[in-house]
Amino acid sequence: MSDTDHKSVELARLFYRELAKIHGNDDWAPAAKADALARLLELLYLEVTKAENIQFTTLFARIAFACHKFQVEKKMQYWIHFFRKKIRSLVPDTEAPNVYALGLKAVAGSIEGLFGEAAPEEVQAFLPKKIPYAYTEVRVKEFRKTARVIALSDDEENDLLLAQDEENPSQLIHIQYNIAERNEPFNPTIRQIRQTFGFPVTLSLTDVEVVDSSAVRQLAVRQSSIVHSPPSTIYRPRAIVVEPDYLLDVSTVAGCFQGNSAEPVVYLLQKFLPVAQTQAMILGNIANFFLDELMHDAGASFKETFPKVFKTSPLTFSLLTDADIREIYEKSQRHWLTLQAMVRQEMRKFDIEPKECYLEPSFYDEKHGLQGRLDVFYKKENRSAIIELKSGQPFMPNRYGIGASHFIQTLLYDLMVRSVFGEEVEPASYILYSGLETNQLRYAPPVKAEQNEALQVRNQLVSIDRRLAAIRGDDLAQVPLLERTATARFPHIKGYLSQSIGRFEKTYHALGDLERRYFNAFTGLIAREHQLAKTGIHGVDKANGLAALWLDTTEEKEAGFEIVKSLIIKENRANEDEPIIVFEKTAATNPLANFRVGDIAVLYPGDNRRETLDIRRGTGDGEMPSNIYGLSSNVLKTQIFKVTILSVTPETVTVRLRYRQFNLLIFSEFEQWNLEHDQMDMSFNGMYQGLFRWAESSERKRALLLATLPPERPHDHSPKLAVDAPQLTGEQHRILQKMLTAPDYFL
């Protein structure tokens, strides 16, 4: 017997002894014994998962992970979760003996399932022969990976949502939630649907078991004007994504995972609190720049490359001292050596060929409500890999040596890539810690329970945005989200995050009544504008925002002049220092499309690959086959590029890619390309942070900007210009003089 097996046997015997002690305590009533069993069950799962060092946010996630890892029997999993739910509810005294008997079975079954050690005879003697609750096998008639539905109402008594499936809208269905062994972690999402979103609400369901209602239980469904008989079909999803067209960035969701828990308040604080450029952030940007340079040229040298970093952010470097520059120079050499070794030989040890990788590819995933940009993505046929570069140290690393937020980031990227390329692609995810001396590339396996936990947090963040959008300045009752962002409500949070909460609390509560109403009203306005930019409003003369990329048909986009389609690459310089592509318009390109120089846009392949498409460039009658363009779903099925439009002529469109590419294979795979309008979350965050800077400014400055205090009149009307300006006209000279004499501001 190995040391590991021996330890497992000893642990199993220890837990069985504790189980026997609880049973043998005649001084405890059944309710007290049931509580003791619940604590023992939690200790058991803490013990078997502590080596993982994964930041589980709920006991459900911990139990789900352990049962999956140790292959605990499905029926036993049902009883474990059933006991866990019973012990958390208000059980009448008459039912306590039954709950206690259920607990004995759940704990004993857990010990045997996790350690493979059967209960000793003295324990088996007092275990109940029969569970005092009914178990009904749910017969699944169909399994669907995803389903998009519109939830219409809530039958809270029976844990059911009434909904319509977009694939079969003529048939009403029920969605069962609060299922202990499947989707209980999404109960907070259900509460947010009731309190924040309301009905109807769009949901994306994943890993859906489709069953007949009779297979679950007799349903007592409230009658309404919508339905006169209970739907016969029930969906039992494992995950529920609310408002899936409202895409959140993967890194934003992952950033809420701090140490051992998820803290959605991080999302709120990141909106408002300005971010200072620290040395760590500068080193992170340098590491990313080094990786890009080495992927383009593995033979590049550090001495030749480092001076180029000053061009990436000249203003930031101009504010640093010589000593800061020297320190950054020395520290960045460690990152260079690591990244150079990775590109030259280490990646190949993990079956990743650098020359077949893509740098900074972006993706949209409306199934899980996510968007993201990978640092490095490798794909060859059905093999793929994700590499996320981190320049810092892993904080509270799990068993894989990866920090909590970094691990969650890989889990969400895994979901996103599978959504885009299909389940046949199983990406291997890695975190690359360029600042470490050894073991820099660390594998991050997908953990389903943790992925679902992250999706639940994503739903909470969407709820925060919706609650911000509901704020009106004169109604202080609508702003509990801002009022309650205070350190007293987060006593478990320490360190830097606690300081950030304190900073927001101090600033917000220092505002006067009018100032706070202004802050609230402006916050609500920004949130509503952001919501419109993301999902818009459907209807006549309305826009779907960014979601129009996949919600609107090409015909609808053409009618609104919102797409430049069927472009052919004329000149491709995407791999040069200034990555530019010149496209040639075709007969199918709308010459009236509403795009201007300077617009940001999304570039993505058309719906057909080169070998299956035959476009006549401006010849013949210019008609396109009607079946080529239906829903513009291709934006969800491939990598997309963020670009800026440099020029638009009757014949060509020229764009600059946001990130230089060295692998140009994708550009040869597709004949035609489309351009559509883009939006950036960064611009809205800038508005929030500008508002907070105003709130942090002096009382006099706030009053000046709010116009409750008039600006002072100039004392000296005849200042002399610091420089001679003969090119100014007399009128311009007079206005400039007035500007220079204004003590506060000049309009």
Side-chain angles (χ1 to χ4, degrees), residues 619-745:
T619 60
D621 58 10
E623 291 184 1
M624 299 292 293
S626 60
N627 62 344
I628 286 184
Y629 300 105
L631 283 171
S632 298
S633 58
N634 211 45
V635 74
L636 301 173
K637 296 301 179 186
T638 185
Q639 166 184 354
I640 58 115
F641 296 91
K642 303 291 186 118
V643 303
T644 301
I645 296 179
L646 298 183
S647 75
V648 180
T649 73
E651 294 80 26
T652 63
V653 178
T654 303
V655 302
R656 180 177 59 239
L657 276 64
R658 200 171 297 172
Y659 302 100
R660 180 170 57 143
Q661 301 295 312
F662 76 97
N663 184 352
L664 303 182
L665 178 61
I666 189 172
F667 297 109
S668 61
E669 286 183 343
F670 294 91
E671 172 84 11
Q672 52 156 328
W673 292 78
N674 299 337
L675 275 174
E676 296 193 49
H677 290 289
D678 191 16
Q679 65 92 11
M680 296 178 67
D681 292 340
M682 187 186 305
S683 59
F684 293 96
N685 287 340
M687 295 182 202
Y688 284 115
Q689 291 172 17
L691 179 61
F692 191 78
R693 287 191 181 96
W694 166 81
E696 278 195 315
S697 62
S698 67
E699 186 175 352
R700 183 177 184 277
K701 187 172 183 179
R702 296 201 304 270
L704 279 169
L705 295 176
L706 206 54
T708 57
L709 178 68
E712 290 185 8
R713 292 185 178 278
H715 303 295
D716 182 4
H717 292 275
S718 57
K720 294 183 178 179
L721 290 175
V723 294
D724 186 30
Q727 69 274 23
L728 296 181
T729 66
E731 178 66 7
Q732 289 171 333
H733 192 276
R734 185 185 67 81
I735 293 173
L736 183 56
Q737 290 280 44
K738 292 183 68 176
M739 292 170 63
L740 293 174
T741 58
D744 294 315
Y745 57 81

Side-chain angles (χ1 to χ4, degrees), residues 268-269 272-273 481-486 498-510 519 692 696:
L268 184 67
L269 295 172
F272 287 102
L273 301 189
L481 191 63
L482 304 180
E483 294 278 356
R484 297 175 187 173
T485 303
S498 179
Q499 295 172 15
S500 296
I501 296 172
R503 179 183 176 186
F504 182 90
E505 177 186 13
K506 179 182 177 181
T507 301
Y508 183 76
H509 288 282
F519 188 97
F692 191 78
E696 278 195 315

Side-chain angles (χ1 to χ4, degrees), residues 148-220:
R148 186 181 171 102
V149 304
I150 305 297
L152 303 172
S153 63
D154 180 22
D155 179 7
E156 189 173 349
E157 182 180 345
N158 293 298
D159 295 338
L160 295 168
L161 296 175
L162 181 70
Q164 287 181 306
D165 189 328
E166 288 194 2
E167 287 193 7
N168 186 15
S170 62
Q171 179 186 6
L172 289 168
I173 54 100
H174 271 131
I175 302 164
Q176 188 177 7
Y177 57 86
N178 195 27
I179 306 173
E181 71 278 14
R182 286 192 69 78
N183 55 32
E184 187 187 343
F186 287 87
N187 285 353
T189 292
I190 300 299
R191 289 194 293 271
Q192 289 300 332
I193 290 173
R194 295 174 188 143
Q195 298 167 8
T196 304
F197 295 96
F199 295 95
V201 61
T202 303
L203 305 176
S204 176
L205 313 177
T206 67
D207 297 334
V208 183
E209 292 179 347
V210 182
V211 301
D212 289 326
S213 60
S214 58
V216 180
R217 61 174 179 268
Q218 285 297 109
L219 301 174

Side-chain angles (χ1 to χ4, degrees), residues 559-575:
F561 310 105
E562 296 295 328
I563 184 172
V564 183
K565 71 176 185 181
S566 304
L567 298 172
I568 306 295
I569 295 177
K570 180 180 180 181
E571 185 179 347
N572 190 350
R573 304 199 301 271
N575 59 343

Side-chain angles (χ1 to χ4, degrees), residues 513-533:
D513 179 66
L514 177 62
E515 291 172 331
R516 196 176 304 181
R517 284 186 301 174
Y518 172 75
F519 188 97
N520 297 340
F522 209 134
T523 295
L525 174 64
I526 297 169
R528 289 189 291 276
E529 288 295 317
H530 197 183
Q531 187 174 321
L532 286 171

